Amino acid sequence: MPNPTSRHSKSRRDKRRANWKLSQPVTVLCPECQEPTLSHRVCQSCGTYKGKKIIEVVEKEL
Ligand SMILES: [Zn+2]
């Protein structure tokens, strides 16, 4: 049966688990409002994508 013959060391296990991190989301400057926004997404501050108005941006009340 294909089974591991010896278990991996704690060091090897921990090195594997140390190797995950969140990456910074890719942001681009919106060509309409120059705000940083996620690429290939509708801009959250002006609601446009590829020069077209897609959504109405509603100001959030705090
Ligand atoms: Zn924008």
Side-chain angles (χ1 to χ4, degrees):
M1 276 229 278
N3 254 341
T5 50
S6 61
R7 65 187 234 177
H8 293 166
S9 66
K10 290 172 192 170
S11 156
R12 191 169 161 172
R13 177 202 67 196
D14 292 349
K15 272 192 259 180
R16 181 180 66 235
R17 291 181 185 173
N19 230 335
W20 63 276
K21 277 199 173 89
L22 290 176
S23 54
Q24 193 79 13
V26 176
T27 57
V28 294
L29 287 183
C30 172
E32 303 293 322
C33 65
Q34 313 305 322
E35 286 286 317
T37 181
L38 292 171
S39 65
H40 305 108
R41 305 288 195 286
V42 172
C43 175
Q44 290 299 296
S45 49
C46 68
T48 63
Y49 184 68
K50 280 193 170 180
K52 286 182 187 167
K53 191 99 181 153
I54 308 290
I55 52 168
E56 276 312 314
V57 176
V58 183
E59 292 292 321
K60 278 185 187 151
E61 289 160 46
L62 295 173

